[in-house]
Amino acid sequence: MTASRTPELVLTARLNTSAADARRGVVRLHPEVLAALGLREWDALSLIGSRRTAAVVAAAPEGSPQGTALLDDVTLSNAGLRENATVAVAPVTVYGAKTVTVTGSALATGSISDATLRQALLGKVLTVGDTVSLLPRDLGPGTSTSSATQALSRTFGVAWTTELLTVSAVDPSGGPVSVQPNSAVGWGTGTVTASGATPSASVHPARDSVTRAAPPRVSAADLVGVSAQSAKLTEWLRLALDESELLATLGASPHLGVLITGSGGVGKATLARAVIGERACVALDGPSIGALEASARVERVTAAVDELAGSGVLLITDVDALLPSDPEPASTFVLDVLRRAVDTPGLALIATTAHPEATDARLRGQDLCDRELTLTLPDAAGRKGLLEHLLKKVPQGDVDLGEIASRTPGFVVADLAALTREAALRAAARASNDSAAASLTQDDLVGALQVIRPLSRSGSEELAIGSLTLEDVGDMVETKQALTEAVLWPLRHPDSFARLGIEPPRGVLLYGPPGCGKTFLVRALASSGQLSVHSVKGAELMDKWVGSSEKAVRELFQRARDSAPSLIFLDEVDALVPRRGQSSDSGVGDRVVAALLTELDGVEPLRDVVVLGATNRPDLIDPALLRPGRLERLVFVPPPDSDARVDILKASGKSIPLAEDVDLDALARDLDGYSAADCAALLREAALTAMRRSMDAADVTAADVATARATVKPSLDPEQVAHLRAYGS
């Protein structure tokens, strides 16, 4: 508690123009003024203008006048001040908030969860009536606000940086409060916490992470695409908590521990809260508790179990952060508390994680979480249903949600929510500029697709597939047909394969000279089948640490299974799976080959996942990879012929102002030995030649093209092309 009796000091309020402090509720004072007030950095400070407010205080930059207080625009407004007005400052007692209630726009209220809201406001000093931004404040040395900013960007889009909220209620209500990890921050009615408020002069967050779960925003009836998992979890809770005597009659224990797994953003916690409904529930945030000292972790879990008083559900989100796979001594004590909890009649445990492999294996024992639910990524029909649910109250124009769903493979519900928010921002900007009624259009959603990328593909490179299809690829008839049969037919006509009793190909090897469009073909193929693409260059999976490369292969295939139907594109596959026994890398390459072969035709089958490898040196690949059941289809990508070169030149020159004397048909016939990349490079060099001739050149002439040909030479070696043609036969 701040006990200083220092009189108030009167200073001149100036606007703080530092971007680092903008709208973050931080007041900067000269170090000597801080000493005179008996304050340290990050303590609380009372500001008295035409109204009274409070904020955190920090040292002003070197050279700032002693009699000046630097305030951001929001803090100036909260104190009822204008720039250069006088402001009285003094120390103030601040209590840790039990509850904080804020109001904001409808978009913010419906998009930002209570947990994310608490993260954004953590460490800020609030008074009823204050305006506060979502920009997180600096919590001092050794701390980071990146998790808050990432969560806000993911859930609210770019608009979060300009959103302003109003503090409508705080508890305790006698003065300013600081937001701490155990504070219940929410929209509307505040939630109940497990601990009381304690006075504190410094606004460093208190170390408490037990909060009563907020009422579910989504009812079980509103869940889309997870009806089977919802029904199963509902049945388990009903039998264990409501009809335990029925289990006892049959000689079974009412013990219930459930682990819900699935990719980040797929809706694990939402499912749990929706099914829990009105039951008593205490929620623990795994990352928040995992950051505490060992003894504090055990105390927080014990406090949560005691708060339930033997009746209700203990929900632990992101449990892998609390109980990592590399167990710590404290993990054993936490697990003992959880075992006692699940053995208590009338009490159940539900834990969620996006990384089950990174979770302590003991959690999945028969005495704890003996049941498991997995939420997979939604398919096209599920994504359409989710979009319809997200937009059911939104005014819409001519919108085809089926098309948007087909173009969003790998998107989870959090990604789709971000997509609709981005589309709403575009529609709102258009309505504001045109002074028209707000309405969402297809162009808004398609435009949002260029900005929002799926979280489920993090960790692997993405190919921007766009709207390109195989029909847009000129020539290469045999190559396109082979890819259609090997990749698209199994996904479009699985009943035909089942009727004829055959298994579709597991993988395809694209081989051909460099620069002839192998990646271009994969992009067109993925767009034709509306597939999620996981692109990895061979060398990217190689790691010097023992087991790391094999783990990277397993994780790559797991991501592909989660986002099926999908393509795994292994570019430069010869660097990933060279012939075994011929490398000098301590056996890393051999182990990677073994891991890849295991994933291709191991015990766990690949369903709706096709592996495509690309190389210009197929002779360097381990022969075991090319056997049936693996990369069994060899598809040659030939160099472009004269007709194909015409199409390539026309496509590459679409944005280049070519003079009338440039004859692309004649040029294409004269470019024997040029690859697709060479043709594009030729026109690019011709444009640069025109710029060298004159920076004011209006077009590219035939003379410029002729000059460029002297620089851009054909890269295709006739002997190499002939050798590659003969390889497949």
Side-chain angles (χ1 to χ4, degrees), residues 186-203:
W187 310 100
T189 304
T191 54
V192 182
T193 64
S195 62
T198 55
S200 172
S202 175
V203 292

Side-chain angles (χ1 to χ4, degrees), residues 56 119 160 179 193 285 312 324 333 340 386 441 474 487 491 517 580 593-594 689 703 705-706 725-726 729:
V56 294
Q119 269 190 304
W160 73 269
V179 179
T193 64
D285 181 43
F333 297 104
R340 290 196 297 271
L386 288 168
T441 67
V487 179
L491 301 177
R580 284 176 284 186
V593 174
T689 302
V705 175
R725 283 187 185 276
S729 58

Side-chain angles (χ1 to χ4, degrees), residues 7 331 437 721:
S331 298
V721 173

